[in-house]
Amino acid sequence: MPELKHGFKISTEKCQGRMPCMRACPTHAIRVKNGKARLIPELCIDCGSCLGVCPSGAISATTVPFAELDRFKFKVAVASPALFAQFAIKETPACVARALLDLGFDAVWEYSVDIELIDRAITDCVKKWPGPFPLISNSCPVIVRLVQVAYPSMVEQLIPVEAPREIAGRELKRRYSLELGLQPEEIGAIYITPCQAKTISILQPAEEEKSYLDGAVGISEIYNDVLQKIRKTTNAEGSPKSKFGIGELFHWGTPEGEFPKLSREHYLPLTGLTDVIKVFDDIEKGKIRNIEFLECHACPGGCIGGNLTVENLYVARSKNLHLVASMSRPSPEFEKEVERRYAVEDFSLRRPLKPRIIEGEVVNLLERVKRRKRADELLKGLPLLNCGLCGAPTCKNHAEDAAAARADLSDCVFLSRDRINFLREIYKK
Amino acid sequence: MAVELLRESYEIQGKNYDKAGEVSGEIKVLLRDLGIDAVNMRRVVIVAYEGEMNVVMYAHRGTLTLVLTDRDINLEIADEGPGIPDIGLALQEGYSTASDEMREMGFGFGMGLPNMKKNSDEFRIESEVGKGTFVFAKIRLNANA
């Protein structure tokens, strides 16, 4: 397996080993040894839970620096609908799109067509699916990775349909290379992203294919510039005229889709990793029946609550509702374009998703059982306080690490006085 | 001969809907930690969950024992309860003796035992009316890997 890329970096220099990241990680992928946080790459699902809690600013999201995009001859922005919910009511999607052009993009993609196409593809897929149910949406990369790491038996329930942003990348390259006589690689398809997880899904898609997009720029990274451009245009020219109708840029579903064509009682939208995990636990037991499709987003509130957004979730949601309410019916051109593309394009995922191989699995079953028994035995000697001073988030994790010889059991302060002295030395001011 | 690697027993309380599903949840975590492949894990967890729910719904109490060998996973579910008068009938899809209360909770479609059988490579059921029921299910490790 190629080396896993992740959506953020931990700076060893800045890290002070204070451990909120380790405690916040839902897959227990962080250990803090010798006063420094370190990632177990196989377990990381790029959710970004660690990102906001670091008191030392040592964890940063990897997005593409805006300046790096100049290598493309023609740059096209594919803006997550979450972008439009970041600004005031009078700053319409058309104003925001205009500001993106002023910022140096050569075009802003009419992304809602792709979202509508994927809505349809998903509706069709759900209707034809033989089972097992429920199918699970895959547009949130964290959800895909969570299933690959923690729910391997549910991987086949991830819906085998491409994410709308990928379809947008494919189509915009096709169209502009035809219109402008450019090679597809000379055209930059850049996603304006509400989270670092989508950046990673572009750098390294979970299905091990190459993304149709070339990179992603975080909303928070361009927010100030966009705001400035909007203010400038509005002041100089009054209300900006633009070819963008609201319908082509902004989709009326919740950001990243809602599927009104699926019957309500068979469709369940879920947001927030904690709730998603609860429901996934029930699915794995076969407890959830009569639900055909789960739309899951790792961030509470969905993509408008992404960790690279600026506006607080509730204000953004209010703006989003306002945009939906003020939308006119889709234009005939929009409908026509959706019909045309739906007839000719294939939306199925190019490669099947597979469970992620976790490091421990390379040893045989007998050895795994031995480790498990050893870990159970070792756990009996630990205080079950989950204090984290050993450098693992829970006593159970520490017992497992020790059983697999990845850590010393005596790193527990209850078992060794030396450990306290060692920590005192490390955390000395 | 298959070599026994691990044996774990779990108590199940009858009529405790609040805790229902916890045993199969624990089994899921155990099998995941052991790196059992996805297809087999799914089958074991479905059998364990249906078995657990049968105990919760009908019996006073029960024990679920999981035995892992180098070749297969065996589940033994023994309960103290009313027993099943006609096992052949109980194994028919759609046959159900569920109460309204159970149906309201989303059970009682008559798929429990048939579902367990379908997901097992070997399946045996013994019952004595008024005493209890014993279910044995074997899932072979390499059959689907």
Side-chain angles (χ1 to χ4, degrees):
Chain A
M1 192 171 67
E3 193 197 345
L4 282 165
K5 296 193 178 78
H6 283 297
F8 51 86
K9 287 191 279 278
I10 305 176
S11 153
T12 316
E13 210 172 295
K14 287 188 190 163
C15 176
Q16 296 179 312
R18 306 254 294 272
M19 303 180 178
C21 59
M22 180 181 87
R23 299 180 212 276
C25 176
T27 54
H28 298 171
I30 297 177
R31 299 289 182 274
V32 181
K33 300 286 176 187
N34 300 320
K36 300 290 176 190
R38 156 177 86 70
L39 194 68
I40 304 170
E42 299 89 8
L43 295 179
C44 172
I45 57 171
D46 296 301
C47 67
S49 301
C50 55
L51 208 61
V53 296
C54 178
S56 329
I59 306 178
S60 57
T62 26
T63 55
V64 183
F66 195 55
E68 210 180 273
L69 305 178
D70 285 337
R71 66 193 158 103
F72 296 104
K73 285 195 175 153
F74 193 80
K75 299 185 287 288
V76 187
V78 178
S80 160
L83 174 71
F84 304 115
Q86 304 298 309
F87 301 93
I89 302 284
K90 64 177 179 8
E91 289 150 357
T92 62
C95 296
V96 176
R98 172 69 185 273
L100 289 174
L101 295 177
D102 290 344
L103 222 60
F105 281 103
D106 298 294
V108 178
W109 188 246
E110 294 166 357
Y111 186 33
S112 68
V113 175
D114 308 274
I115 296 179
E116 178 68 13
L117 287 167
I118 293 304
D119 264 25
R120 287 200 187 189
I122 287 177
T123 309
D124 276 1
C125 180
V126 171
K127 282 182 184 149
K128 289 180 192 145
W129 188 252
F133 285 106
L135 281 159
I136 300 164
S137 68
N138 70 9
S139 83
C140 173
V142 176
I143 297 298
V144 175
R145 285 155 178 73
L146 175 70
V147 173
Q148 287 181 302
V149 168
Y151 300 92
S153 66
M154 283 158 48
V155 165
E156 58 177 343
Q157 280 165 266
L158 288 164
I159 195 158
V161 172
E162 286 278 3
R165 56 184 180 276
E166 289 293 326
I167 295 307
R170 180 175 73 184
E171 177 64 8
L172 76 84
K173 292 221 171 191
R174 194 196 62 82
R175 186 190 300 173
Y176 287 115
S177 59
L178 216 63
E179 274 179 21
L180 305 169
L182 292 171
Q183 294 299 314
E185 58 273 15
E186 294 175 311
I187 299 163
I190 312 300
Y191 189 63
I192 312 291
T193 183
C195 63
Q196 88 298 330
K198 298 209 177 79
T199 313
I200 283 313
S201 81
I202 293 166
L203 286 173
Q204 192 175 49
E207 70 275 22
E208 297 177 24
E209 262 291 349
K210 195 182 169 310
S211 171
Y212 289 114
L213 295 158
D214 295 292
V217 175
I219 288 177
S220 56
E221 197 188 338
I222 55 164
Y223 178 79
N224 285 329
D225 292 337
V226 169
L227 203 61
Q228 212 180 8
K229 296 282 183 201
I230 291 176
R231 300 263 152 88
K232 232 181 205 166
T233 358
T234 322
N235 291 343
E237 302 163 23
S239 83
K241 287 225 173 351
S242 144
K243 75 185 187 75
F244 303 109
I246 180 175
E248 281 77 35
L249 292 162
F250 180 81
H251 198 265
W252 48 89
T254 51
E256 303 286 320
E258 184 174 312
F259 305 97
K261 292 170 207 76
L262 293 171
S263 69
R264 279 286 155 189
E265 71 266 36
H266 299 310
Y267 159 68
L268 206 61
L270 284 173
T271 72
L273 212 43
T274 318
D275 287 351
V276 169
I277 286 172
K278 272 188 211 156
V279 174
F280 281 8
D281 283 342
D282 282 350
I283 295 174
E284 201 159 50
K285 281 179 279 194
K287 207 171 172 178
I288 300 235
R289 292 160 203 235
N290 304 318
I291 296 289
E292 293 175 346
F293 185 67
L294 289 175
E295 191 192 341
C296 302
H297 297 284
C299 296
C303 296
I304 46 174
N307 57 9
L308 298 181
T309 59
V310 176
E311 194 51 272
N312 101 39
L313 168 63
Y314 297 93
V315 175
R317 184 182 283 161
S318 147
K319 171 71 190 288
N320 195 66
L321 290 172
H322 181 88
L323 283 173
V324 173
S326 63
M327 273 191 64
S328 48
R329 296 184 65 81
S331 66
E333 294 81 46
F334 174 88
E335 304 268 22
K336 226 173 103 187
E337 180 64 359
V338 170
E339 288 304 332
R340 182 192 69 79
R341 286 182 54 191
Y342 199 71
V344 295
E345 289 181 35
D346 178 10
F347 302 102
S348 45
L349 206 61
R350 285 169 288 167
R351 261 190 210 223
L353 288 156
K354 296 200 183 102
R356 193 186 283 173
I357 310 284
I358 309 295
E359 173 209 37
E361 292 183 30
V362 288
V363 297
N364 67 30
L365 182 61
L366 181 63
E367 176 58 24
R368 295 197 299 262
V369 172
K370 274 189 189 157
R371 279 187 189 175
R372 160 84 195 193
K373 286 181 174 168
R374 212 181 301 146
D376 285 348
E377 218 32 60
L378 295 177
L379 187 61
K380 288 179 190 159
L382 297 177
L384 299 180
L385 283 173
N386 301 337
C387 69
L389 294 182
C390 61
T394 66
C395 293
K396 187 165 178 280
N397 290 131
H398 184 51
E400 287 161 0
D401 287 352
R406 290 189 296 261
D408 258 328
L409 192 69
S410 64
D411 280 352
C412 173
V413 294
F414 281 76
L415 302 182
S416 150
R417 200 174 279 276
D418 291 347
R419 175 71 182 170
I420 298 179
N421 293 329
F422 175 76
L423 288 173
R424 194 172 281 141
E425 205 48 46
I426 281 185
Y427 288 97
K428 200 162 59 182
K429 278 273 158 21
Chain B
M1 257 313 271
V3 183
E4 182 178 316
L5 301 177
L6 185 78
R7 176 182 287 264
E8 297 273 357
S9 279
Y10 306 86
E11 295 300 318
I12 304 166
Q13 281 176 36
K15 306 289 181 286
N16 189 342
Y17 288 93
D18 185 35
K19 297 255 186 240
E22 283 191 1
V23 167
S24 27
E26 276 184 55
I27 287 176
K28 179 199 84 177
V29 173
L30 171 71
L31 298 182
R32 186 174 73 202
D33 289 353
L34 288 175
I36 302 297
D37 73 280
V39 177
N40 283 316
M41 183 170 134
R42 184 186 190 96
R43 299 175 79 211
V44 174
V45 172
I46 289 173
V47 174
Y49 180 71
E50 297 286 4
E52 183 183 359
M53 287 317 298
N54 280 340
V55 176
V56 171
M57 288 193 287
Y58 293 103
H60 312 303
R61 74 175 70 82
T63 316
L64 189 156
T65 306
L66 177 141
V67 181
L68 170 73
T69 77
D70 55 346
R71 291 180 201 171
D72 43 44
I73 295 171
N74 303 278
L75 293 172
E76 300 163 13
I77 305 153
D79 72 41
E80 293 168 29
I84 303 170
D86 186 339
I87 290 174
L89 195 58
L91 280 169
Q92 279 176 25
E93 288 193 6
Y95 177 78
S96 173
T97 56
S99 65
D100 290 346
E101 176 201 30
M102 297 171 194
R103 284 175 209 275
E104 270 168 27
M105 303 187 76
F107 298 100
F109 294 99
M111 295 304 291
L113 286 173
N115 209 8
M116 289 172 80
K117 194 176 174 190
K118 201 171 76 189
N119 283 289
S120 310
D121 292 311
E122 269 179 45
F123 186 78
R124 222 169 46 234
I125 181 165
E126 292 155 19
S127 188
E128 196 176 327
V129 174
K131 284 225 164 140
T133 303
F134 176 82
V135 179
F136 173 85
K138 183 190 283 296
I139 287 99
R140 282 196 201 93
L141 281 179
N142 293 319
N144 302 285

